[in-house]
Amino acid sequence: MGLTAGIVGLPNVGKSTLFNAITKKNILAANYPFATIDPNVGIVTVPDKRFDYLVEQEIPEKVVPTSYEFIDIAGLVKGASKGEGLGNKFLSHIREVDAICEVVRCFEDSNITHVEGNVDPVRDIEIIDLELIFCDLEVIENRIGKIEKKAISTKDKEALQELEVLKKVKSALENNIPARRLEYTEDEDKILKNFSLLTKKPIIFMANVSEADITTGNKYVEEVKEHASKENAKVVMLSAKVESELSELNDEDKMLFLEDLGIEESGLDKLINATYELLGLATFFTVGKDECRAWTFKKGMKAPECAGIIHTDFEKGFIRAEVTSFEDYKKYGGEKGAKEQGKMRLEGKEYLMQDGDIVYFRFNV
């Protein structure tokens, strides 16, 4: 299961510069609105020191790390949902993403025009929230219009349940409350999943600061954090300019540059870690001389479900999973050493997969 994130933000907040940097794509980044008209897709590998260690030990013929797909969405402006700027045609590209990464401008620069005239991160967030709310309202109202009369007249249980949750969300949206701030039952979640509501998607705010503020932050970052705390959203502070410079360096020079700046990891690494935590994701590994591969799964998945990520036949014919933790693999010099020490476990259908598990699935179809 690949991870997909949609990058949104007002024009000239550093969104396309950041996208260029983290995906090393040479898309147009210009000092005017709508430089990015069509969605751009870039795929980056997920950094994982455990996986690097496994590759060093196994020296496989093929290496397949997990990946993270970014979709860069054209700059939103006030009134986009009503046709301003490029209109709302590009919002459909956000419907299928797992999470929204919103770039928020937290730096002053007289040479870079702000579409709203001045730097005010909370106002910028509220502008985008409002546009996404308008889009969700249209979807909800259309659906209510189609099912309300039938639900009430037939007293159909499922239709009434759907109508109830739609009205609950509609009321929140009409009060400028994003759908993600509400609490839902399991059944309500299932109903709303069909609508891919933009304001229900988990969100991470990327506070884009100048290089001078990369270690300390500034007043704008604090404003973003205060706003994000209201909906338990995460904030990742980074500098698009620094990320751009890092993207041109090899791994050794990159580490030296980070040390000089006084930071331990790049903004991209922080973003990926924050997204994994936000979405409740983890990684298991399959290793061997032919291939080392990292796989993303959702915490709480059982062994057969994770086997199904590799191939549906693995799940259908699941017999057992032979599991070694990464810690035991490292401590005892590989799977063979771990097995000799009794650290390789045989797990059945009810086993909950753990982050860092090294697995070999036995199956029969």
Side-chain angles (χ1 to χ4, degrees):
M1 52 186 294
L3 178 62
T4 306
I7 303 181
V8 301
L10 291 178
N12 300 344
V13 297
K15 184 169 62 68
S16 292
T17 301
L18 182 64
F19 180 83
N20 284 345
I22 60 183
T23 63
K24 296 186 180 176
K25 289 251 184 176
N26 188 27
I27 61 167
L28 176 63
N31 183 24
Y32 56 89
F34 318 124
T36 314
I37 296 174
D38 295 312
N40 291 271
V41 179
I43 297 175
V44 297
T45 57
V46 175
D48 192 323
K49 290 178 180 177
R50 299 170 303 180
F51 186 63
D52 295 341
Y53 180 85
L54 293 173
V55 171
E56 284 176 12
Q57 299 307 304
E58 298 289 338
I59 317 175
E61 293 177 16
K62 188 178 179 184
V63 176
V64 187
T66 50
S67 62
Y68 192 131
E69 185 176 282
F70 286 99
I71 301 177
D72 183 30
I73 312 295
L76 288 163
V77 291
K78 191 185 291 183
S81 59
K82 294 183 173 65
E84 293 295 321
L86 294 173
N88 64 2
K89 65 177 183 177
F90 48 80
L91 291 174
S92 62
H93 300 301
I94 318 175
R95 292 275 177 211
E96 302 309 314
V97 302
D98 299 303
I100 292 175
C101 298
E102 183 173 335
V103 184
V104 187
R105 180 168 167 174
C106 293
F107 65 89
E108 298 274 5
D109 190 332
S110 58
N111 295 317
I112 301 178
T113 309
H114 192 294
V115 71
E116 290 294 320
N118 66 308
V119 178
D120 185 339
V122 174
R123 175 206 58 209
D124 294 353
I125 290 169
E126 289 173 346
I127 286 173
I128 287 182
D129 267 351
L130 204 54
E131 297 310 317
L132 301 184
I133 281 170
F134 286 149
C135 289
D136 281 350
L137 256 178
E138 186 179 349
V139 170
I140 294 287
E141 288 172 346
N142 285 343
R143 181 60 181 166
I144 289 175
K146 287 180 181 177
I147 69 163
E148 186 168 28
K149 186 181 281 189
K150 179 187 173 184
I152 294 171
S153 63
T154 63
K155 303 294 185 207
D156 180 79
K157 186 179 177 183
E158 287 185 6
L160 285 169
Q161 192 177 22
E162 181 180 348
L163 182 63
E164 186 180 350
V165 69
L166 290 175
K167 285 188 172 182
K168 170 181 171 180
V169 175
K170 180 174 181 281
S171 175
L173 296 175
E174 286 174 338
N175 287 287
N176 295 340
I177 299 170
R180 62 179 169 270
R181 290 195 192 178
L182 303 180
E183 291 185 4
Y184 304 97
T185 65
E186 195 174 323
D187 287 339
E188 288 175 333
D189 255 333
K190 282 181 183 175
I191 292 168
L192 292 176
K193 196 172 184 180
N194 297 321
F195 299 98
S196 297
L197 297 176
L198 302 176
T199 64
K200 192 173 183 295
K201 293 187 180 296
I203 192 166
I204 291 178
F205 296 109
M206 296 192 285
N208 185 16
V209 300
S210 67
E211 185 175 334
D213 293 332
I214 193 67
T215 55
T216 59
N218 56 36
K219 64 176 183 178
Y220 297 127
V221 175
E222 294 309 310
E223 289 171 11
V224 174
K225 286 180 178 178
E226 186 179 347
H227 179 87
S229 67
K230 296 173 186 175
E231 50 186 291
N232 294 318
K234 292 187 175 294
V235 178
V236 172
M237 188 177 72
L238 48 72
S239 167
K241 182 176 180 293
V242 168
E243 295 300 314
S244 184
E245 292 173 10
L246 284 170
S247 70
E248 302 298 324
L249 304 175
N250 60 38
D251 288 345
E252 189 177 337
D253 289 341
K254 182 178 170 181
M255 293 307 297
L256 290 171
F257 186 29
L258 289 172
E259 282 179 24
D260 287 343
L261 290 171
I263 53 179
E264 293 182 1
E265 57 183 348
S266 70
L268 173 60
D269 290 355
K270 287 193 287 185
L271 174 61
I272 291 173
N273 291 334
T275 311
Y276 264 60
E277 190 178 333
L278 179 70
L279 297 175
L281 301 177
T283 306
F284 73 86
F285 308 104
T286 51
V287 303
K289 295 300 179 185
D290 55 339
E291 178 185 274
C292 278
R293 188 161 186 155
W295 306 85
T296 302
F297 71 99
K298 206 164 183 67
K299 290 176 182 175
M301 288 178 73
K302 293 180 180 178
E305 293 176 277
C306 287
I309 293 172
I310 298 175
H311 197 287
T312 52
D313 284 351
F314 283 29
E315 183 172 6
K316 288 176 187 173
F318 179 88
I319 298 172
R320 66 175 183 267
E322 298 174 2
V323 184
T324 305
S325 71
F326 172 77
E327 288 74 18
D328 286 336
Y329 176 101
K330 188 174 181 179
K331 184 176 180 179
Y332 299 109
E335 283 187 295
K336 186 182 177 184
K339 188 174 185 179
E340 289 170 353
Q341 295 295 321
K343 297 298 182 180
M344 179 183 282
R345 311 184 309 275
L346 299 181
E347 301 288 359
K349 292 182 178 180
E350 295 304 309
Y351 176 65
L352 291 174
M353 291 286 286
Q354 301 298 309
D355 185 42
D357 276 349
I358 298 165
V359 194
Y360 183 80
F361 292 108
R362 296 284 184 184
F363 72 102
N364 182 32
V365 177

